[in-house]
Amino acid sequence: AAATTTTTTRAATIARARSNRDAPFAASAHRPGASWKTTVLRHLGTRRFARASRRGAMDLSAGGVPPGATALHALAAANPAYPNLAAMDLAEESSPALRVLFAAGGTGGHVFPAIAIADALRRMSDEGSLPAAATARIDFAGTDHHQEATHVPAAGYALHRVPAIALARPPLSWRNVLVPFKLAYAVARSIALIVELAPDVVVGTGGYVSLPTCLAAKLCGVPLVIQEQNAYPGVANRILAKMASLVCVAFSRAAAAFRMEPLSHDGTLGTPGGTPARGGACVVRGNPIRAPLRWTERRDARRTLSWMFYRKGCAETPSISASDRVLVVFGGSMGCETLNDAMSDAVVGLLERDPRLWVVWQTGRGGYERVRSKVSSHPRLAVRSFINDVEHCYNAADLCVARAGAVTCSELLACGLPSVLIPSPVVTEDHQSFNAKEMADLGAAVEIRDRDLSTRDPKRCVEPGEPAPRRAVRLEYVIGELLYDPEVLAGMREACLEAATPEAAEEIANDVVSVALAARRRGRGRFAFSR
């Protein structure tokens, strides 16, 4: 009888949560016929309550943070605005569905981590493991002409268009004259979106839309979680970190840049990394990666990858055996001219010298035609402009040559794949150089500066009075030194797996839920709307 009662209660809870997920706003929250400006002004008044709740810190246990405390204890101690999260009753049946808004856009390095966290939340929702809510409602804010316009709908999430703000370099450039006005307009549009969706928490992972959307969340009193992918954070995230309830970083070096009190991997308070900034806490979680990367077996990956080498008219599909060597080259999503040119001069010689070598090469959409014009076809060479199912490439490969984007570095670590990293010199804040140095310090990668790459023939004419040509690095030699040294590859593979954080998406998803529930208990979530 007790089991039957528990099952009935559980079913009723799920039914109520699902009905709440699609419930319209209460009349007091959004009156029919009222303009969005009127609605925004009405709910901006809830910021008074948010400021009052920040002033009224809740008491923690007398002993502070006890040994072995969870992340919730540490988060409560690091931010006085939090109540004692560990003492909260997270199983309240009457709680409505959890609503999460992701602000991510621009490049795949910002979009894919957001999708990975959203997927983890969706799995928790489907499994019924979300505390205080049977389901989760997930939305994305982004543009209609960048990476998020393709990948977010393909992942099954709703994408709401908001204006993007791009800051030209240097910051004092005349092209930034209209940026303040564009930012004000984008924030106003983002406020309207937040009023419409009424999220419990906003998660910013960077990109063109992250700054205005996260600023709008702060103005509306919605708690903010920031996820920083790089070893050195950008200007926008350094600004938003002071307003965020929690900052999740991928590398410990980023915590020092934020000047926030870091939390260790197990959730307990770590050694302070500097003067704590205003706002919440900083926790090292690693970068969230796509789930298929962890589920794909090497044998299955090689079998699937063999189809990339199929040629029309072939009698059978080529087969990559377990003893063959696979080299994967990623020239970036848009195309890296330096890397593609260096690889164009190296790939023919590598394939001729080793009949058991297979090369998969993503040139980027901007470099595909250039590479095809320089490199002739080969039965063991697969050239693509873009590869969607990268999990097969990573898990089938013995070595990877790539740029040092944050997501790429995290995926290499998770798959235990040794790499040669060539950081891009033109990215904002030069963050790829910090990422590559972090990977090299771990012993998981070899770093080559972009300016040091040479072509097959490094000789050039030097005019009188010009400096001598700088010393160049031949990509072909570096690949050969690593690919044919099993002992070195084994050491790099072990270093990757030791530094990997394969559960980062689930851990960050739990952090997001904790922040949202804490705000809901204080009445800050959803602008304190009555339902």
Side-chain angles (χ1 to χ4, degrees):
T4 304
T5 303
T6 302
T7 304
T8 305
T9 303
R10 177 63 176 168
T13 302
I14 295 175
R16 280 198 301 271
R18 287 176 176 170
S19 63
N20 287 332
R21 177 182 58 184
D22 301 321
F25 285 102
S28 60
H30 188 76
R31 298 174 185 172
S35 66
W36 68 268
K37 295 180 182 179
T38 304
T39 306
V40 169
L41 293 175
R42 184 184 303 119
H43 295 301
L44 285 181
T46 59
R47 283 182 291 163
R48 298 179 182 176
F49 181 85
R51 288 193 292 268
S53 65
R54 286 195 294 269
R55 289 194 297 267
M58 307 295 289
D59 293 333
L60 294 173
S61 57
V65 180
T70 64
L72 299 183
H73 288 94
L75 186 59
N79 189 346
Y82 277 96
N84 190 343
L85 299 180
M88 291 188 345
D89 178 15
L90 298 181
E92 183 180 357
E93 295 182 359
S94 60
S95 297
L98 194 71
R99 296 193 176 188
V100 183
L101 175 63
F102 286 88
T107 65
H110 299 303
V111 176
F112 291 131
I115 293 177
I117 301 171
D119 288 344
L121 285 170
R122 183 164 59 182
R123 286 194 299 272
M124 294 168 63
S125 176
D126 294 342
E127 295 168 359
S129 59
L130 276 178
T135 56
R137 169 75 178 271
I138 300 172
D139 295 277
F140 276 75
T143 66
D144 56 359
H145 55 279
H146 287 109
Q147 294 277 351
E148 66 272 21
T150 301
H151 297 293
V152 170
Y157 301 106
L159 179 64
H160 303 270
R161 270 68 174 181
V162 296
I165 300 298
L167 185 66
R169 263 53 177 187
L172 297 180
S173 171
W174 63 270
R175 291 176 292 179
N176 293 328
V177 173
L178 297 179
V179 166
F181 304 99
K182 294 180 179 179
L183 179 61
Y185 174 70
V187 169
R189 289 282 301 274
S190 299
I191 289 176
L193 176 63
I194 290 176
V195 170
E196 176 186 352
L197 299 178
D200 290 292
V201 61
V202 172
V203 182
T205 60
Y208 297 112
V209 302
S210 182
L211 181 60
T213 307
C214 293
L215 287 177
K218 180 65 176 179
L219 291 174
C220 295
V222 177
L224 178 63
V225 175
I226 296 297
Q227 197 272 325
E228 173 58 51
Q229 303 91 30
N230 297 291
Y232 187 79
V235 175
N237 272 357
R238 292 204 300 270
I239 295 173
L240 293 173
K242 300 179 181 180
M243 311 175 187
S245 301
L246 181 66
V247 178
C248 301
V249 298
F251 302 99
S252 56
R253 184 174 298 181
F258 279 123
R259 295 191 305 153
M260 301 181 73
E261 188 173 9
L263 309 181
S264 61
H265 283 283
D266 60 358
T268 57
L269 283 172
T271 304
T275 305
R278 291 184 305 165
C282 180
V283 61
V284 180
R285 292 296 190 207
N287 269 325
I289 62 173
R290 288 162 279 186
L293 287 169
R294 296 175 287 169
W295 300 339
T296 306
E297 297 291 339
R298 183 178 180 87
R299 182 178 59 183
D300 297 334
R302 290 202 164 192
R303 185 185 301 115
T304 304
L305 202 66
S306 298
W307 284 96
M308 297 186 67
F309 298 91
Y310 177 78
R311 298 292 189 275
K312 186 176 181 180
C314 293
E316 58 182 13
T317 304
S319 178
I320 304 176
S321 66
S323 59
D324 289 347
R325 284 169 284 273
V326 177
L327 173 66
V328 174
V329 182
F330 288 109
S333 59
M334 301 307 296
C336 167
E337 183 175 335
T338 307
L339 193 158
N340 284 335
D341 286 348
M343 194 62 201
S344 297
D345 296 322
V347 67
V348 175
L350 289 170
L351 291 170
E352 289 178 350
R353 285 192 295 270
D354 187 356
R356 309 199 70 172
L357 174 65
W358 303 77
V359 179
V360 179
W361 185 357
Q362 175 188 287
T363 63
R365 295 184 175 92
Y368 180 76
E369 296 298 333
R370 179 184 176 91
V371 169
R372 295 305 302 177
S373 64
K374 297 179 64 176
V375 180
S376 57
S377 61
H378 192 281
R380 287 180 282 113
L381 172 64
V383 180
R384 300 289 186 273
S385 61
F386 190 80
I387 301 174
N388 289 313
D389 301 329
V390 294
E391 61 271 12
H392 301 301
C393 297
Y394 282 130
N395 287 284
D398 297 287
L399 182 67
C400 178
V401 180
R403 285 302 202 186
V407 174
T408 298
C409 292
S410 296
E411 292 175 342
L412 291 170
L413 292 176
C415 296
L417 180 59
S419 58
V420 177
L421 298 179
I422 306 164
S424 173
V426 297
V427 296
T428 306
E429 307 291 335
D430 195 27
H431 62 256
Q432 287 199 9
S433 296
F434 291 94
N435 298 342
K437 187 178 188 308
E438 187 83 8
M439 293 282 287
D441 291 344
L442 292 172
V446 172
E447 178 189 4
I448 302 178
R449 308 295 290 184
D450 186 88
R451 63 175 178 268
D452 294 334
L453 274 182
S454 74
T455 59
R456 165 171 286 187
D457 184 9
K459 297 179 181 179
R460 71 173 191 179
C461 296
V462 180
E463 299 295 334
E466 287 188 2
R470 59 177 175 269
R471 184 178 181 179
V473 177
R474 294 278 298 278
L475 183 60
E476 183 179 358
Y477 294 159
V478 176
I479 293 174
E481 289 291 326
L482 295 176
L483 194 59
Y484 301 102
D485 193 329
E487 185 176 349
V488 172
L489 286 181
M492 296 175 70
R493 190 176 297 111
E494 183 178 353
C496 286
L497 295 176
E498 287 181 356
T501 54
E503 304 297 328
E506 286 75 13
E507 292 177 356
I508 296 174
N510 283 322
D511 293 335
V512 170
V513 172
S514 300
V515 171
L517 293 180
R520 181 183 289 181
R521 284 302 184 93
R522 294 199 312 274
R524 289 179 60 190
R526 305 193 188 186
F527 318 96
F529 287 168
S530 59
R531 285 192 175 273

